[in-house]
Amino acid sequence: MRVTTVLCAMGLVGCASLGGGVGRETVSQTVDVPVDTAVRIARTQLELHNYRVGATGGSTLITEPRAIPGEVRDAAARREAEYWVVRVDVGRKTLGGTEIKVRGFRLPEGRPTTPGSQPTMIPVTDSDQRLFNEIQAIAGWIGDAARRKADGS
């Protein structure tokens, strides 16, 4: 059941990434490590910070739905538990280097419970500064670890 939920989330995140939104949705880092190394580093950093990677596809990682931390949850909405997923895409840049892109998607209807269900997914933008700061932090963890690897530390 969990595999089905994660696969649905992966498909929806892929579809949601095609839609336009207002504001900035992606935080990017450029590093000097190979793509496969950057993917391994991204997975490790997510897991070190208690995110569970649920779906992978080539150089894309998507976390399992996770409750938005209480301190960044929308205080106005006062929701008990709102969930989100994080998507990390890693790719080679044309002029050299590896680009890591981190995006987040809210699941305002809660954690999917029905196999094959397709919950609404809303891209996190910089208009929600508290949650967007989480995306920036995640990109920072991954970028910093990749730079340490590139420097041989």
Coordinates of all heavy atoms in Angstrom, one line a residue, residues 5-7 9-10 13 42-43 46-47 50-56 60-66 84-88 102-105 107 111 121 138:
T5 N 1.0 4.4 -2.7 CA 0.9 5.8 -2.3 C 2.1 6.7 -2.8 O 1.9 7.7 -3.3 CB 0.8 5.9 -0.8 OG1 -0.4 5.2 -0.4 CG2 0.6 7.4 -0.3
V6 N 3.3 6.1 -2.6 CA 4.5 6.9 -3.0 C 4.5 7.0 -4.6 O 4.8 8.1 -5.1 CB 5.7 6.2 -2.5 CG1 7.0 6.8 -3.1 CG2 5.8 6.2 -1.0
L7 N 4.1 6.0 -5.3 CA 4.1 6.1 -6.7 C 3.1 7.1 -7.2 O 3.4 7.8 -8.2 CB 3.9 4.7 -7.4 CG 5.0 3.7 -7.2 CD1 4.7 2.3 -7.8 CD2 6.3 4.2 -7.9
A9 N 2.1 9.6 -5.5 CA 2.7 10.9 -5.1 C 3.8 11.4 -6.2 O 3.8 12.5 -6.6 CB 3.3 10.9 -3.7
M10 N 4.6 10.4 -6.6 CA 5.6 10.7 -7.6 C 5.0 11.2 -8.9 O 5.4 12.1 -9.5 CB 6.5 9.5 -7.8 CG 7.7 9.8 -8.7 SD 8.8 8.3 -8.7 CE 10.1 8.9 -9.7
V13 N 3.5 14.7 -8.3 CA 4.6 15.7 -8.2 C 5.1 16.0 -9.6 O 5.3 17.2 -9.9 CB 5.7 15.3 -7.2 CG1 6.9 16.2 -7.3 CG2 5.2 15.2 -5.8
A42 N 22.2 13.6 -1.6 CA 20.8 14.1 -1.3 C 20.0 13.1 -0.5 O 19.4 13.4 0.5 CB 20.1 14.4 -2.6
R43 N 20.1 11.8 -0.8 CA 19.4 10.8 -0.1 C 19.9 10.7 1.4 O 19.1 10.7 2.3 CB 19.6 9.4 -0.7 CG 18.9 8.3 0.1 CD 19.2 6.9 -0.5 NE 18.4 6.6 -1.7 CZ 17.2 6.2 -1.7 NH1 16.6 5.9 -0.5 NH2 16.5 5.9 -2.8
L46 N 18.7 13.8 3.3 CA 17.3 13.7 3.7 C 17.1 12.7 4.8 O 16.3 13.0 5.8 CB 16.5 13.3 2.4 CG 16.3 14.3 1.4 CD1 15.8 13.7 0.1 CD2 15.4 15.5 1.8
E47 N 17.7 11.6 4.8 CA 17.5 10.6 5.8 C 18.1 11.0 7.1 O 17.6 10.8 8.2 CB 18.1 9.2 5.3 CG 17.3 8.6 4.2 CD 18.0 7.4 3.6 OE1 19.2 7.1 3.9 OE2 17.3 6.7 2.8
N50 N 15.7 13.0 9.0 CA 14.4 12.3 9.3 C 13.4 12.3 8.2 O 12.2 12.2 8.5 CB 13.8 12.7 10.6 CG 14.7 12.4 11.8 OD1 15.3 11.4 11.8 ND2 14.9 13.4 12.7
Y51 N 13.8 12.5 7.0 CA 12.9 12.4 5.8 C 13.1 11.0 5.3 O 14.2 10.5 5.3 CB 13.2 13.4 4.7 CG 12.8 14.8 5.0 CD1 13.6 15.6 5.8 CD2 11.6 15.3 4.6 CE1 13.3 17.0 6.0 CE2 11.2 16.6 4.9 CZ 12.0 17.4 5.6 OH 11.7 18.7 5.9
R52 N 12.0 10.4 4.9 CA 12.1 9.0 4.3 C 11.9 9.1 2.8 O 10.9 9.6 2.3 CB 11.0 8.1 4.9 CG 11.3 7.8 6.4 CD 10.2 7.0 7.0 NE 10.2 5.7 6.3 CZ 9.5 4.7 6.7 NH1 8.7 4.8 7.7 NH2 9.5 3.6 6.1
V53 N 12.9 8.7 2.1 CA 12.8 8.7 0.6 C 11.9 7.6 0.2 O 12.2 6.4 0.5 CB 14.2 8.6 0.0 CG1 14.1 8.6 -1.6 CG2 15.1 9.8 0.4
G54 N 10.9 7.9 -0.5 CA 9.9 6.9 -0.9 C 10.0 6.4 -2.3 O 9.8 5.3 -2.6
A55 N 10.3 7.4 -3.2 CA 10.3 7.0 -4.6 C 11.6 7.6 -5.2 O 12.0 8.7 -4.9 CB 9.1 7.6 -5.3
T56 N 12.1 6.9 -6.1 CA 13.3 7.3 -6.9 C 13.1 7.0 -8.3 O 12.4 6.0 -8.7 CB 14.6 6.7 -6.4 OG1 14.5 5.3 -6.6 CG2 14.9 7.0 -4.9
T60 N 16.0 11.5 -9.6 CA 15.0 12.2 -8.8 C 14.7 11.4 -7.5 O 14.5 10.2 -7.6 CB 13.7 12.3 -9.7 OG1 14.0 13.1 -10.8 CG2 12.6 13.0 -8.9
L61 N 14.5 12.2 -6.4 CA 14.2 11.6 -5.2 C 12.9 12.3 -4.7 O 12.8 13.5 -4.8 CB 15.2 11.8 -4.1 CG 16.6 11.3 -4.4 CD1 17.6 11.7 -3.3 CD2 16.6 9.8 -4.5
I62 N 11.9 11.5 -4.2 CA 10.7 12.1 -3.6 C 10.5 11.5 -2.2 O 10.5 10.3 -2.1 CB 9.5 11.9 -4.5 CG1 9.7 12.5 -5.9 CG2 8.2 12.4 -3.8 CD1 8.7 12.3 -6.9
T63 N 10.3 12.3 -1.3 CA 10.1 11.8 0.1 C 8.7 11.3 0.3 O 7.8 11.6 -0.5 CB 10.4 12.9 1.2 OG1 9.4 13.9 1.0 CG2 11.8 13.5 1.0
E64 N 8.5 10.5 1.3 CA 7.2 10.0 1.7 C 6.5 11.2 2.3 O 7.1 12.1 2.9 CB 7.3 8.9 2.7 CG 7.8 7.6 2.0 CD 7.8 6.4 3.0 OE1 7.4 6.6 4.2 OE2 8.3 5.4 2.6
P65 N 5.2 11.2 2.2 CA 4.4 12.3 2.9 C 4.8 12.4 4.3 O 4.9 11.4 5.0 CB 3.0 12.0 2.7 CG 3.0 11.1 1.5 CD 4.3 10.3 1.5
R66 N 5.0 13.7 4.8 CA 5.5 13.9 6.1 C 4.7 15.2 6.7 O 4.4 16.1 5.9 CB 7.0 14.2 6.1 CG 7.5 14.7 7.4 CD 9.0 15.1 7.2 NE 9.5 15.8 8.3 CZ 10.7 15.8 8.7 NH1 11.6 15.1 8.1 NH2 11.1 16.5 9.8
W84 N 3.3 17.2 3.5 CA 4.0 17.6 2.3 C 5.0 16.6 1.9 O 5.3 15.7 2.7 CB 4.6 19.0 2.6 CG 5.9 19.0 3.4 CD1 6.2 18.3 4.5 CD2 7.0 19.9 3.1 NE1 7.4 18.7 5.0 CE2 8.0 19.6 4.2 CE3 7.4 20.8 2.1 CZ2 9.2 20.2 4.2 CZ3 8.6 21.4 2.2 CH2 9.5 21.1 3.2
V85 N 5.5 16.7 0.7 CA 6.5 15.9 0.1 C 7.6 16.8 -0.4 O 7.3 18.0 -0.8 CB 6.1 14.9 -1.0 CG1 5.1 13.9 -0.4 CG2 5.5 15.6 -2.1
V86 N 8.8 16.3 -0.4 CA 9.9 17.1 -1.0 C 10.5 16.3 -2.2 O 10.6 15.1 -2.2 CB 11.1 17.3 0.0 CG1 12.3 17.9 -0.6 CG2 10.6 18.0 1.3
R87 N 10.7 17.1 -3.3 CA 11.3 16.5 -4.5 C 12.6 17.1 -4.8 O 12.8 18.3 -4.7 CB 10.3 16.8 -5.7 CG 10.9 16.3 -7.0 CD 10.0 16.6 -8.2 NE 10.6 16.3 -9.4 CZ 10.0 15.8 -10.5 NH1 8.7 15.6 -10.4 NH2 10.6 15.6 -11.6
V88 N 13.6 16.2 -5.0 CA 15.0 16.6 -5.3 C 15.3 16.1 -6.7 O 15.2 14.9 -6.9 CB 16.0 16.1 -4.3 CG1 17.4 16.5 -4.7 CG2 15.6 16.6 -2.9
V102 N 15.5 21.6 -5.5 CA 14.7 21.1 -4.4 C 13.4 21.9 -4.5 O 13.3 23.1 -4.6 CB 15.4 21.3 -3.1 CG1 14.5 20.8 -1.9 CG2 16.7 20.7 -3.0
R103 N 12.3 21.1 -4.4 CA 10.9 21.7 -4.4 C 10.1 21.0 -3.4 O 10.4 19.8 -3.0 CB 10.3 21.5 -5.8 CG 11.1 22.1 -6.9 CD 10.5 21.8 -8.3 NE 9.3 22.5 -8.4 CZ 8.5 22.3 -9.5 NH1 8.8 21.5 -10.4 NH2 7.4 23.0 -9.6
G104 N 9.1 21.6 -2.9 CA 8.1 21.0 -2.0 C 6.7 21.1 -2.5 O 6.4 22.0 -3.2
F105 N 5.9 20.2 -2.0 CA 4.5 20.2 -2.4 C 3.6 19.8 -1.2 O 3.9 18.8 -0.5 CB 4.2 19.1 -3.5 CG 5.0 19.4 -4.8 CD1 6.3 18.9 -5.0 CD2 4.4 20.1 -5.8 CE1 7.0 19.2 -6.1 CE2 5.1 20.4 -7.0 CZ 6.3 20.0 -7.1
L107 N 0.2 18.7 0.7 CA -0.9 17.8 0.6 C -2.0 18.3 1.5 O -2.1 17.7 2.6 CB -0.5 16.3 0.9 CG 0.7 15.7 0.2 CD1 1.1 14.4 0.8 CD2 0.3 15.6 -1.3
R111 N -2.5 13.1 4.6 CA -1.7 11.9 4.1 C -2.7 11.0 3.3 O -3.7 10.6 3.8 CB -1.1 11.2 5.3 CG -0.2 10.1 4.9 CD 0.4 9.4 6.1 NE 1.5 8.6 5.7 CZ 2.8 8.8 6.1 NH1 3.0 9.8 7.0 NH2 3.7 8.1 5.6
M121 N -2.0 18.3 -4.8 CA -0.7 18.7 -4.4 C -0.5 20.1 -4.9 O -0.7 20.5 -6.0 CB 0.3 17.8 -5.0 CG 0.2 16.3 -4.5 SD 1.4 15.2 -5.2 CE 2.7 15.7 -4.1
I138 N 16.9 22.5 3.2 CA 17.2 21.2 2.6 C 18.2 21.3 1.5 O 19.2 20.5 1.4 CB 15.9 20.5 2.1 CG1 15.0 20.2 3.3 CG2 16.2 19.3 1.3 CD1 13.5 19.8 2.9

